[in-house]
Amino acid sequence: MAVFTQVSEFDARTLLADYTLGDFIALKGIAAGIENSNFFLTTTQGEFVLTVFEVLKAEQLPFYIELMHHLAAKAIPVPQPQTRRDGKRLSTLHGKPAAIVSKLPGSYEPKPNRTHCAIAGETLAKAHLAGLDFSIQQPNLRGLPWWETTAPTVMPFLDQTLAKLLQDTLVEQQGLAKSDDFKSLPRGPSHCDLFRDNVLFAGTPDHPVMGGFIDFYFAGVDTWIFDVAVSVNDWCIDHANGVFQPELLESWLAAYASIRPFTEAERRVWPAMLRGAALRFWISRLYDFYLPRPAQTLKPHDPGHFERILTQRTISASMALPKDS
């Protein structure tokens, strides 16, 4: 668990005084995440999640908080930001922005099957459509401009072969961003980090039901096909080598397309978008691994994982997106 900011019982009780969420019962750190400090907060009215934001500034946070509020109001299963007595949904704790959101049911599934993939794909498509009328505009802050800025800082840690892979893929993505196909891609608020550990399932292993999408703090307005690529690069692979598992990928994409059919432009950019999605997380994991921030306990993710995924997306043909029947 990455705990950058210590939160005491006194801190939590003081914070709760600004809400109508009942009295404090318990606070426990959450063993996940490397960007924020997260805690399970239990009160006499229920269970919540308290997040202290370590990187994002208060002026950046309304997009994420209000997007969750917007989606929850449209029955998309996401954490519901809690509203303070003064009508605001952001607080301050130890000089840092903080928020309390509802705790969703279920737990994440480390080894999803076809059913899990289908449920996740369908829910993401519904979330994309539900966000169409969201009024706040903020780009994906970990998009191409961030890749271009961060790549030179991690390049010195790579051998010649890997440096070439990173540079070649970055050049491809720069060209893609200038293309007519890219400019025509459907876009809107996107999760941009929908890994399997950011999706909760309730129900039973044999009959799972969606618990909800969590951790929206990498979200931004981006192409929806990028959001899909990020997701399937985690959900539908053999994690030992990054190779797609066709039955999982087919289920994920078919379920998504049943709600929002893919466009011809999306089908044409799909292979490059999968590489871009892999590049984004390879760069960020390289940065966290070689240039980590101090934390109480911080174990960066293995950057080699996304190196393998990017290599696979470079040397192997990808399953085509399903067509609208």
Side-chain angles (χ1 to χ4, degrees):
M1 179 178 67
V3 176
F4 302 91
T5 298
Q6 295 295 316
V7 177
S8 67
E9 178 179 333
F10 175 80
D11 294 330
R13 289 182 181 276
T14 302
L15 183 64
L16 281 171
D18 294 327
Y19 295 82
T20 55
L21 299 178
D23 297 326
F24 175 89
I25 293 179
L27 184 74
K28 180 181 179 182
I30 298 176
I34 61 173
E35 286 289 329
N36 301 313
S37 299
N38 297 295
F39 306 84
F40 288 128
L41 174 63
T42 305
T43 78
T44 52
Q45 288 190 14
E47 294 182 292
F48 303 90
V49 174
L50 165 64
T51 296
V52 180
F53 299 96
E54 306 291 350
V55 177
L56 294 169
K57 306 301 182 184
E59 59 270 20
Q60 296 171 316
L61 282 163
F63 176 85
Y64 311 103
I65 299 300
E66 296 307 321
L67 176 59
M68 288 189 288
H69 181 74
H70 178 89
L71 294 177
K74 293 197 170 188
I76 303 298
V78 302
Q80 173 68 63
Q82 301 300 296
T83 304
R84 293 160 42 102
R85 296 178 188 272
D86 61 7
K88 299 178 181 179
R89 283 182 274 272
L90 270 177
S91 294
T92 302
L93 195 58
H94 293 297
K96 299 175 182 179
I100 298 175
V101 302
S102 59
K103 181 178 180 290
L104 298 177
S107 58
Y108 98 92
E109 175 52 59
K111 295 182 178 180
N113 58 30
R114 292 175 61 102
T115 301
H116 295 106
C117 289
I119 295 172
E122 178 181 321
T123 305
L124 183 62
K126 290 178 179 178
H128 284 165
L129 295 176
L132 270 175
D133 60 347
F134 184 60
S135 61
I136 303 177
Q137 296 293 306
Q138 178 174 286
N140 173 9
L141 300 181
R142 291 292 178 95
L144 180 60
W146 185 84
W147 309 348
E148 293 171 323
T149 300
T150 309
T153 68
V154 300
M155 201 80 75
F157 299 103
L158 303 178
D159 64 28
Q160 185 175 359
T161 299
L162 294 181
K164 185 177 187 303
L165 175 63
L166 192 156
Q167 183 62 35
D168 288 351
T169 309
L170 182 59
V171 169
E172 177 193 41
Q173 298 302 309
Q174 290 169 324
L176 175 63
K178 297 175 182 177
S179 69
D180 290 339
D181 272 345
F182 183 86
K183 295 172 184 176
S184 73
L185 295 174
R187 67 191 66 217
S190 301
H191 189 283
C192 299
D193 190 30
L194 197 69
F195 285 27
R196 61 186 70 183
D197 58 357
N198 282 332
V199 178
L200 305 179
F201 289 97
T204 67
D206 292 333
H207 297 92
V209 296
M210 175 57 65
F213 290 178
I214 62 173
D215 198 355
F216 274 77
Y217 302 115
F218 284 109
V221 173
D222 207 327
T223 64
W224 287 337
I225 196 63
F226 175 78
D227 212 9
V228 173
V230 167
S231 303
V232 300
N233 268 346
D234 181 71
W235 283 81
C236 306
I237 65 169
D238 181 334
H239 269 238
N241 54 28
V243 175
F244 276 130
Q245 296 185 325
E247 69 281 1
L248 299 183
L249 184 58
E250 180 182 14
S251 293
W252 216 104
L253 295 176
Y256 181 96
S258 71
I259 302 299
R260 188 193 73 83
F262 296 108
T263 68
E264 289 298 325
E266 287 177 317
R267 278 188 277 276
R268 287 191 292 269
V269 305
W270 178 235
M273 198 61 71
L274 287 167
R275 289 189 287 272
L279 178 68
R280 176 263 185 263
F281 287 95
W282 188 29
I283 291 175
S284 65
R285 289 191 176 190
L286 285 167
Y287 187 86
D288 289 340
F289 187 84
Y290 290 109
L291 300 165
R293 300 191 312 277
Q296 179 185 357
T297 53
L298 174 58
K299 183 179 180 181
H301 293 296
D302 173 23
H305 176 66
F306 273 98
E307 170 203 322
R308 292 187 290 273
I309 292 175
L310 178 55
T311 298
Q312 287 296 329
R313 302 301 170 266
T314 303
I315 65 176
S316 302
S318 302
M319 179 186 294
L321 294 175
K323 291 189 176 183
D324 189 17
S325 56

